[in-house]
Every structure is written in C-alpha cells, then in structure tokens.
Amino acid sequence: MNAIVLRELGGPEKLVLEQVPDPAPTPGQVMVRLRAAALNHRDAWIRQGLYAGITLPIILGSDGAGDVVAVGDGVDRALIGSAVVINPSLDWGTDDRAQGPKYHILGLPDNGTYAELIAVPAENVCPKPAALSWAQAAAIPLAGLTAYRALFSRAQLKAGETVLITGIGGGVATLALLFARHAGARVLVTSGSDDKLARARDLGADGGVNYRVEGWAKQLQALAGGGPDVIVDSAGKDSFASLLDIIKPGGRIVTFGATTGSPSTIEVRKLFWKQISILGSTMGTAAEFGAMLELFARGLAPVVDQVWPLAETAAAHAHMDRAGQFGKIVLSIA
Ligand SMILES: NC(=O)c1ccc[n+]([C@@H]2O[C@H](COP(=O)([O-])OP(=O)(O)OC[C@H]3O[C@@H](n4cnc5c(N)ncnc54)[C@H](OP(=O)(O)O)[C@@H]3O)[C@@H](O)[C@H]2O)c1
C-alpha cells in the first residue's frame, strides 16, 4: 500500500510517500481501506521530536474514515463493507475518570492513518454518520472526542452558561464551538487572527478577542459580563495565568493542551479566593466517543479547513505549522 512514512524527525519534508507492506488484521481486528485521514497537532509534535515515546519509522495519523475490507478471527464478517470512523483512543481501561497504564493513541506507537489501509481493534470502529462526507467523517475522531470530554464530562457545561474557547482556529477548538452552541451555551473565543474571529462569529460565536492585542484578557472579561462560567484552553504557558483573571468566581477552567508551552506560574491566592476549579482532560472513553458521534447524527458538521491528497501530506503539515488553518486539515486517500 501507499503510506506516508516518517523515518527521521524534522520539518514537514520528512513525511515521505512510500510503498510499504499491507497490514493484516490480527484476531479481534478489522482492516479498513481509508478514504480520508486528518491531521492533529500531535502529529506535528511527534514529527518535531516533541512527544514522549517516539519510535521510528512510523506512519502518523490518529483520524481516519473508510470501509471495512477484511476482519480477523473472532470478528463478525457482517462488518465487511461497512463505512466506519475510527476511535483513536486505544485500551482506555476500566476507570472512566482516567485512562489506564496500557492506554495509547492511534498513530504512535502503532502505525496510523496516513495510509491506504489500517488494521485496528473491531471495538474501535463505529458507523460513519451517514450525512457526512468522508472528509468530514475523518475530521471528527480525535478532536471531537477531546472537545466532547472537556466540555461535557469534565466542565459539565450547561445551556445558558458562557464558555470561552481559546485559539479558535484549532481543530479541537472549532469542534468545541459547534458542540457548545448545540448545547445552548453562549460562546466567546480568542484567536491570533481577526479573520478567524470573524469566521467563528459566522459559525455562531457570540464574540471574540484577538490574543495578540494588549489588554485582551480585560476585554474578554468585559465581553463576558464578569467572566465566563467555563474556559476551555489548549494554549497553556503564560496566557494560562490570565485565565484566572478572566474566569467568573466559581468557574471551571479545562486544559487539554500546551500549544505555546507547558510551564506556567499562577497566583494560588486567585485560585482559592475565586473558588476556581482547574480540570485536566485528555481524549476520552468509548462511551464518550459514541455520544460525540451521536451529535453528528443530529445534523452537526465539522469545519473542514482544506483537503489535501495523501501525497501532499508534507504541504498539509507546513500549513498546520503556520497555524494557517481554521478547523480540521484533511487528507484524501484515493
Ligand atoms: N490532551 C489531549 O487529549 C489533546 C487532544 C487534542 C489536542 N491536544 C493539544 O491541544 C492543542 C490543540 O490541538 P489541535 O490539534 O486542535 O491543534 P491545531 O489545530 O494546530 O490548533 C492550534 C491552535 O492553537 C492556537 N494558538 C496558538 N497560539 C495561541 C495562543 N497564544 N493563545 C491561544 N491560542 C493559540 C491557534 O489558534 P488561532 O489560529 O485561532 O490563533 C492554532 O490554530 C495542541 O497543543 C494539542 O497537542 C491535546
């Protein structure tokens, strides 16, 4: 099969199209002929050597949608021919509160979805929401799962509450915007681009502020009328401390990423005096994946930024490195 193989760490040019042996489904697995895959920032972190446990060579990619073309022993043959999306959350474990020690994400250390074929556990495929295109279906899995757990399982977002989503151009952020609007929340956003703020308003955001502008945190607090009830953040580092100023007393801050860096100094007295809850969130359970997919059966559609042929994965990565995207960057696989 054709696949994009990463043999050396570095820039986007390290992602090279190669012919590699087809995978074969082991007992309990299905083989999927992928029609589309999608990028996540995780793939860029791995490519640059900024992720734990990297093994090379590796086929990156956590998101994929396609047709089941073969099954391993013990799997119902009726699955052959079904259109599926892949849940990239592997071996979560038995505790809904946190993943267990065997937990891993598709695309490292197992080969991922930047390929024509992939073998995955049968329990990790779900029916593709019928109304979605292949590109839209592939855009959902990792980012949708992350956004769903952060907003609903962790922050317990309710209708009528105000939520701030930072860095709205990101794949997870645009899905969080869709889900929060669907849940009846008022949504505020930040971005480093005025154009992306305008696009977020077109998608239903109630307002936004450019985080590159001096005084952005105060502007946001005013916009929220005393601060949002919930903040969903993946920027991390220095701006994380400002979230304690912006949030309403008694509010919840969920963090699931550190795009700008991880170390952050916060004022502990603000945390306790304002009765703030800080919640960490990563990916999600199979039940959360199923509940998230249900939203797409009810008419939601993810924001697809641009679709690139698999052979042009390097160009798609360069686009992500520039934060050029608004929504998900997708790879089409012939
Ligand atoms: N823990 C988990 O399970 C999990 C799951 C998914 C993702 N993540 C992490 O979450 C982050 C986002 O992932 P993604 O795949 O959605 O990435 P992405 O599509 O590449 O989006 C990254 C976004 O970060 C925003 N950003 C950059 N600098 C910022 C700043 N100073 N303040 C606020 N936002 C800023 C940009 O938004 P604008 O262009 O609008 O400025 C950019 O579009 C990554 O760090 C990723 O590793 C973690």
Side-chain angles (χ1 to χ4, degrees):
M1 67 168 177
N2 287 308
I4 299 292
V5 182
L6 180 74
R7 293 189 179 277
E8 279 175 41
L9 303 177
E13 74 286 352
K14 301 291 183 189
L15 296 160
V16 178
L17 185 71
E18 287 185 19
Q19 282 265 308
V20 299
D22 289 0
T26 57
Q29 287 192 323
V30 297
M31 186 149 82
V32 179
R33 180 170 292 285
L34 291 157
R35 304 290 201 100
L39 273 60
N40 288 287
H41 213 97
R42 174 179 194 261
D43 310 344
W45 296 135
I46 297 169
R47 197 201 73 224
Q48 296 166 67
L50 301 172
Y51 205 87
I54 298 174
T55 54
L56 297 175
I58 182 83
I59 299 170
L60 297 177
S62 304
D63 288 336
D67 301 300
V68 175
V69 290
V71 298
D73 287 348
V75 180
D76 187 353
R77 291 187 58 80
L79 269 177
I80 294 174
S82 30
V84 296
V85 288
I86 299 170
N87 175 2
S89 221
L90 300 168
D91 291 324
W92 178 275
T94 53
D95 186 350
D96 288 354
R97 292 171 303 176
Q99 67 275 32
K102 287 190 185 156
Y103 182 72
H104 56 293
I105 299 169
L106 189 63
L108 183 79
D110 302 331
N111 279 331
T113 56
Y114 295 3
E116 289 174 335
L117 293 166
I118 190 163
V120 291
E123 71 229 29
N124 280 76
V125 296
C126 295
K128 166 184 163 292
L132 299 188
S133 67
W134 288 113
Q136 289 172 325
I140 296 172
L142 187 148
L145 179 60
T146 304
Y148 185 93
R149 181 174 171 91
L151 281 174
F152 302 122
S153 307
R154 303 294 282 140
Q156 300 278 315
L157 181 70
K158 306 278 183 311
E161 288 189 317
T162 299
V163 58
L164 165 65
I165 302 168
T166 62
I168 196 59
V172 181
T174 52
L175 280 154
L177 167 55
L178 283 189
F179 296 167
R181 288 290 302 149
H182 182 75
R186 178 172 175 247
V187 183
L188 302 177
V189 300
T190 67
S191 178
S193 148
D194 290 341
D195 178 51
K196 291 184 188 181
L197 290 174
R199 292 176 73 180
R201 273 191 213 98
D202 292 344
L203 269 183
D206 297 278
V209 172
N210 190 322
Y211 56 70
R212 298 188 200 281
V213 170
E214 185 102 18
W216 65 272
K218 280 209 159 53
Q219 278 184 43
L220 257 176
Q221 209 188 15
L223 207 57
D229 303 282
V230 171
I231 299 178
V232 178
D233 181 69
S234 60
K237 210 180 175 188
D238 299 335
S239 62
F240 193 82
S242 304
L243 304 183
L244 301 192
D245 296 322
I246 296 168
I247 192 90
K248 185 189 260 186
R252 295 95 79 197
I253 300 171
V254 194
T255 167
F256 65 88
T259 304
T260 63
S262 188
S264 178
T265 305
I266 59 167
E267 286 212 42
V268 172
R269 76 184 156 76
K270 288 183 188 168
L271 186 60
F272 64 73
W273 188 250
K274 286 182 75 175
Q275 313 266 1
I276 297 166
S277 301
I278 297 182
L279 304 157
S281 195
T282 281
M283 300 288 286
T285 65
E288 286 163 334
F289 191 79
M292 181 275 293
L293 276 189
E294 271 293 304
L295 296 176
F296 293 97
R298 286 188 227 145
L300 294 190
V303 181
V304 173
D305 167 70
Q306 208 170 323
V307 182
W308 308 70
L310 181 67
E312 293 177 27
T313 301
H317 263 243
H319 183 58
M320 175 172 264
D321 284 357
R322 294 190 292 273
Q325 79 275 26
F326 182 82
K328 292 293 297 181
I329 303 169
V330 172
L331 304 172
S332 68
I333 304 169

